[in-house]
Amino acid sequence: MKDHSPEAPFRGITLLSDREIEAMRPACRLSSQLLDFLTPMVKPGVSTLELNDAAEEWTRKHGAVSAPLGYPGPEGAIAFPKSICTSINEVVCHGIPSKKDILQDGDIINIDVTPFYQGYHGDSSRTFMVGNVSPTARKLVEVTEKAMWKGIEAVKVGGRIGDIGAAIQEYAESEGFSVVRDFVGHGVHRIFHTEPQIPHYGVRGKGKKIRPGMVFTIEPMLNVGTYKVELQSDQWTAVTQDGELSAQFEHTLAVTKSGVEVLTCMPAAVAV
Ligand code: MF3
Ligand code: CO
Ligand code: CO
């Protein structure tokens, strides 16, 4: 998220207590369950508005609120008008669901959800392949997911924020993809977007120290061509400057004394 949100003046990194991290779990669990719920709908012929409306209904039914809906934009922009972000093909992030956007065989689509529940946000996204996608699209999606995990594995108490971006960038570029610079991971808890910013590129050993109690997202966007993006006239939809594909995955995670915990991952189901 760009550092233009009205929340930006609340400076400083909040360290959450174990109890507060506990209190975030339900919101984070909902974001994972919501993505699971939407997964079977992601098929050729469905509109992104249908995905949005299903997500909104599911979210309300679970007693939560869709944090993106009405989220304030930069100066002069409208508030975000829908409940989820749906970013197809060359859309990097913040695509606005629309009945005109109908999924087609071969598309890739990122769905980004953020339920707000019991005072906390759970922010997560996945990129889905619609039907048969090109080998390049498949590789981009697979490398992007793996890049997110490399970033998560680089989170170590006493390490630096720069370690995360370095791990992501090294891997992404070694696979021939570029890393978007204009949007970064972010602190997330009671506030949707706050300190620290987590770039998905950078230099090992640089940046703020990683401490227990930090809760933030890692949400790399990888492009087939240039890392440069531009905003469409709606002031939200970010697209690649060269029109090539972009993919993204996102988890919310907590740093604890013993390491890192991915809050938006469901624990493995227990068979009874
Ligand atoms: N969920 C997005 C993120 O990962 C933010 C969406 S803000 C919205 O940070 F207003 F575009 F919905
Ligand atoms: Co986020
Ligand atoms: Co998100």
Side-chain angles (χ1 to χ4, degrees):
M1 202 49 203
K2 277 203 165 138
D3 192 14
H4 57 220
S5 88
E7 295 160 347
F10 295 90
R11 286 290 165 192
I13 301 174
T14 303
L15 299 179
L16 275 71
S17 66
D18 290 351
R19 188 193 291 233
E20 288 170 311
I21 291 172
E22 243 357 92
M24 264 194 84
R25 282 181 204 284
C28 290
R29 189 178 310 125
L30 284 180
S31 77
S32 166
Q33 289 171 330
L34 174 52
L35 288 169
D36 288 346
F37 164 74
L38 293 172
T39 298
M41 288 183 70
V42 182
K43 293 230 160 70
V46 75
S47 74
T48 54
L49 186 64
E50 289 173 285
L51 296 170
N52 177 82
D53 293 353
E56 175 61 27
E57 194 189 324
W58 188 96
T59 301
R60 284 173 188 269
K61 222 177 68 193
H62 287 79
V65 167
S66 305
L69 183 62
Y71 189 76
E75 271 302 296
I78 55 158
F80 195 78
K82 295 291 174 195
S83 304
I84 60 174
C85 299
T86 48
S87 303
I88 301 173
N89 295 336
E90 74 283 359
V91 180
V92 172
C93 62
H94 303 163
I96 302 173
S98 157
K99 75 170 186 286
K100 288 192 215 136
D101 288 328
I102 295 171
L103 295 186
Q104 298 192 24
D105 187 70
D107 282 345
I108 60 172
I109 178 175
N110 176 275
I111 302 181
D112 192 333
V113 303
T114 312
F116 178 73
Y117 186 63
Q118 296 178 348
Y120 287 94
H121 297 83
D123 191 2
S124 186
S125 84
R126 302 176 194 157
T127 297
F128 299 86
M129 296 180 268
V130 182
N132 292 308
V133 306
S134 71
T136 304
R138 174 174 298 275
K139 183 180 170 193
L140 176 69
V141 171
E142 288 171 357
V143 168
T144 305
E145 183 167 19
K146 206 160 154 196
M148 173 191 66
W149 283 108
K150 299 234 178 222
I152 292 171
E153 282 158 19
V155 177
K156 302 266 189 289
V157 172
R160 300 271 172 180
I161 299 285
D163 303 351
I164 300 167
I168 292 169
Q169 184 179 15
E170 247 169 47
Y171 172 63
E173 291 179 356
S174 78
E175 293 290 343
F177 299 125
S178 67
V179 177
V180 169
R181 312 288 201 260
D182 285 3
F183 298 95
V184 296
H186 51 90
V188 57
H189 32 77
R190 289 187 175 277
I191 303 171
F192 192 172
H193 296 102
T194 185
E195 298 287 295
Q197 295 201 20
I198 313 289
H200 306 108
Y201 56 93
V203 182
R204 235 172 235 105
K206 299 270 181 200
K208 299 206 172 101
K209 224 184 209 152
I210 298 172
R211 298 177 193 280
M214 284 185 173
V215 180
F216 53 80
T217 70
I218 296 183
E219 49 180 300
M221 286 139 275
L222 268 56
N223 296 352
V224 165
T226 178
Y227 64 77
K228 292 189 180 155
V229 308
E230 58 192 34
L231 275 191
Q232 290 184 341
S233 56
D234 60 23
Q235 298 295 306
W236 280 105
T237 312
V239 295
T240 56
Q241 222 170 63
D242 58 10
E244 301 265 16
L245 295 176
S246 183
Q248 181 179 26
F249 282 83
E250 174 176 28
H251 273 310
T252 294
L253 44 103
V255 182
T256 65
K257 275 160 257 137
S258 42
V260 59
E261 201 184 327
V262 184
L263 299 174
T264 44
C265 254
M266 287 283 278
V270 179
V272 186

